[in-house]
Amino acid sequence: MFRRREPVPFAFVAEADRFRSNVTPPPPERSSVSQIAGRCLLGLTIVAALVGSVVIGMPALSQNQPAQGPQSQASQGR
């Protein structure tokens, strides 16, 4: 970062903190019905994807039944 060569007076910094503009920003535009509907559909799609991934992933997370695959002769002790 660059340093200033001359110091800035403290009064200037304090005055800059209190500065208020007399210009008001324009009010934000209202969303149209199609924009609101699109945001709702996007939100519902994201929620449905999260719920679907949990539902599909539940069998892999359950520990009720151990996975029984074909056993080789080495695992049977022969």
Side-chain angles (χ1 to χ4, degrees):
M1 302 200 67
F2 299 107
R3 291 189 151 210
R4 293 178 181 242
R5 292 182 188 241
E6 68 274 353
V8 177
F10 179 77
F12 175 77
V13 175
E15 184 180 323
D17 289 339
R18 289 185 303 214
F19 177 74
R20 298 280 184 209
S21 174
N22 61 355
V23 178
T24 58
E29 290 185 21
R30 295 191 60 152
S31 298
S32 67
V33 175
S34 62
Q35 288 177 334
I36 294 172
R39 290 177 189 158
C40 289
L41 285 175
L42 179 65
L44 287 174
T45 303
I46 292 172
V47 169
L50 291 172
V51 170
S53 65
V54 169
V55 168
I56 291 173
M58 285 302 286
L61 296 174
S62 66
Q63 296 179 354
N64 296 341
Q65 298 176 351
Q68 293 286 335
Q71 295 181 351
S72 64
Q73 291 180 355
S75 66
Q76 294 176 358
R78 293 184 185 174

